[in-house]
Amino acid sequence: MPDEDPTAIVGENFRRTTRARNKVMRAERGRGFWRLGVSTIFYVMVVGGMADYVESQARIGAHLLFWLFIAFGLGMTVARERRHDWAPRPRWPWLSAALGGAVIVELLILAVGSPAIIVGSIILLGLGAFFLVLVG
């Protein structure tokens, strides 16, 4: 092609002369309470597994700390809803996770004991890892 300039940069004709517009990304709402459920299950595993090996005051402290984390998560969720003008979601899953997790731990400790909870937790974690390997 004799009419082309050999010193021209390839793709020069495609360079933008005006800046691209910045598009505002809309914040997306979470798709359910699966994180809350998984964290409650992990809490039951840990506190139930340590029950026979620590004092009961440590277990009470773990319950209080878990309730504090649940309250903090609920507060963050409410703040996000207000900041992004979302319709409020139901609040009952937070209360049921806080109270249900503590009740399930205590019932499992009374029913089967800490070593059985540890074995069940290992089996459940193995099944969860297997599922993640399948889908991941």
Side-chain angles (χ1 to χ4, degrees), residues 23-98:
K23 185 176 180 181
V24 177
M25 299 292 288
R26 189 169 164 258
E28 298 252 344
R29 175 179 283 232
R31 290 176 177 59
F33 295 100
W34 65 271
R35 285 187 214 131
L36 180 65
V38 169
S39 61
T40 303
I41 290 170
F42 284 152
Y43 164 74
V44 169
M45 288 179 184
V46 170
V47 174
M50 73 177 195
D52 288 344
Y53 309 107
V54 297
E55 298 292 326
S56 59
Q57 287 85 13
R59 215 165 62 218
I60 291 170
H63 289 318
L64 293 175
L65 189 64
F66 179 65
W67 291 337
L68 183 69
F69 282 136
I70 293 289
F72 179 73
L74 176 61
M76 293 297 293
T77 300
V78 169
R80 248 183 119 205
E81 285 175 353
R82 289 182 182 159
R83 183 174 55 232
H84 297 295
D85 292 328
W86 293 334
R89 291 181 87 178
R91 307 288 187 235
W92 65 265
W94 297 92
L95 183 62
S96 66

Side-chain angles (χ1 to χ4, degrees), residues 7 18 26-27 36 46 55-56 58 61 71 86 90 105-106 109 129 131 135:
T7 60
T18 59
R26 189 169 164 258
L36 180 65
V46 170
E55 298 292 326
S56 59
W86 293 334
V105 166
E106 296 300 325
I109 291 168
F131 177 74
V135 296

Side-chain angles (χ1 to χ4, degrees), residues 115-127:
I117 294 173
I118 293 171
V119 170
S121 299
I122 292 171
I123 291 170
L124 190 62
L125 287 173
L127 289 172

